[in-house]
Amino acid sequence: MVDRLANSEANSKRIALVESCFGAAGQPLAIPGRVLIGEGVLTKLCRKKPKARQFFLFNDILVYGNIVIQKKKYNKQHIIPLESVTIDTVPDEGELRNGWLIKTPTKSFAVYAATSTEKSEWMNHISKCVRELLQKSGKAPTGEHAAVWVPDSEATVCMRCHKVKFTPVSRRHHCRKCGFVVCGPCSEKKFLLPSQSSKPVRVCEHCYSLLMSAGLGPRSDSITLPGSNFNNNTLSDDEDEDDSSD
């Protein structure tokens, strides 16, 4: 079915429409063999709060962005290669229902559908696309994934020392290895995690020790962050790009 749609005029028009909705700031999406499987609005669990995002599932990539005008204009386009994706269901909790994790080596996050049927359809289609891609390429499924960040609202105190209470001065940071919300003194180290960044990223003391004991250090790319327990008004390396407009 996908192969028949790949070169169809209807598929080309649908992809062209998605490109136009993202405008000049978006990446070109039309390439030979690419098929738009489906689209819809999902709630993405961002660092500060859940937010509605427009998602587009293609047979080889997952694209999402901020909704400016529904079905007309989107921005902050993100493109995720499906070969690197693993998905896991998330138990219902309070108002957050019908969710699952989208995990990749670079970034992992939770999304929620409006209904259980919609969740099943998304998960089934994503799994099928990933499976077919891996079969064609002969590659093995991705083994390592970035940690899912714990939302700010779930931590009033540091999740490592359990002592520092978060305030406008003692601000929250996220460990890139475990995803915990931690204080400045508990996350003064940076470590190179190549799957996430070409530069060393913030890690908590616990994960830093584990990385070192695993034989990944000492390294010249392991550094200490000076004054990391002080607040500042600049965009830090802890800012989730989906929250930067808040």
Side-chain angles (χ1 to χ4, degrees):
M1 180 65 177
V2 170
D3 291 336
R4 290 203 302 271
L5 287 172
N7 299 314
S8 72
E9 184 178 352
N11 179 62
S12 298
K13 286 183 177 179
R14 292 177 70 199
I15 294 178
L17 181 59
V18 176
E19 287 182 333
S20 67
C21 287
F22 278 104
Q27 296 294 316
L29 299 173
I31 65 169
R34 178 169 289 165
V35 175
L36 178 57
I37 305 296
E39 61 182 271
V41 177
L42 298 173
T43 298
K44 179 177 179 290
L45 193 59
C46 299
R47 175 182 177 176
K48 296 181 181 178
K49 60 182 179 181
K51 297 181 180 181
R53 296 287 183 257
Q54 183 73 28
F55 280 77
F56 300 92
L57 176 63
F58 296 82
N59 60 329
D60 62 334
I61 58 174
L62 182 66
V63 178
Y64 71 93
N66 294 10
I67 302 169
V68 180
I69 303 174
Q70 183 62 46
K71 296 187 179 297
K72 290 186 178 180
K73 187 176 182 181
Y74 311 110
N75 63 15
K76 296 189 177 179
Q77 182 190 71
H78 298 261
I79 300 177
I80 302 173
L82 285 180
E83 272 190 347
S84 67
V85 168
T86 299
I87 58 175
D88 287 318
T89 190
V90 174
D92 293 343
E93 185 176 346
E95 295 181 359
L96 294 174
R97 307 179 67 82
N98 310 313
W100 68 96
L101 298 178
I102 296 175
K103 301 188 296 184
T104 79
T106 304
K107 184 181 178 73
S108 301
F109 53 90
V111 292
Y112 296 83
T115 66
S116 58
T117 300
E118 198 175 318
K119 170 186 174 177
S120 296
E121 289 178 349
W122 272 101
M123 292 190 72
N124 288 338
H125 283 302
I126 292 173
S127 296
K128 183 179 179 182
C129 288
V130 173
R131 185 169 59 250
E132 290 179 351
L133 280 172
L134 294 176
Q135 286 175 349
K136 286 182 179 179
S137 67
K139 295 180 181 179
T142 302
E144 184 180 353
H145 303 99
V148 178
W149 283 19
V150 175
D152 285 3
S153 59
E154 293 187 15
T156 57
V157 298
C158 175
M159 297 177 72
R160 285 302 181 195
C161 69
H162 304 289
K163 296 178 181 178
V164 175
K165 185 176 182 179
F166 296 122
T167 68
V169 175
S170 298
R171 57 191 296 271
R172 293 170 173 85
H173 302 280
H174 277 83
C175 171
R176 297 308 194 275
K177 185 62 179 175
C178 66
F180 277 22
V181 184
V182 292
C183 64
C186 285
S187 59
E188 292 181 337
K189 298 290 198 303
K190 280 192 172 187
F191 204 91
L192 182 64
L193 302 176
S195 62
Q196 295 190 37
S197 175
S198 59
K199 299 178 180 179
V201 293
R202 184 186 295 271
V203 294
C204 67
E205 290 287 344
H206 175 75
C207 288
Y208 181 80
S209 297
L210 291 178
L211 289 165
M212 296 288 279
S213 63
L216 300 177
R219 303 163 59 143
S220 60
D221 44 41
S222 304
I223 62 176
T224 299
L225 297 168
S228 58
N229 56 323
F230 293 103
N231 186 32
N232 60 66
N233 294 321
T234 59
L235 185 66
S236 77
D237 65 339
D238 289 282
E239 195 72 56
D240 184 336
E241 66 270 19
D242 282 345
D243 291 323
S244 60
S245 60
D246 286 357

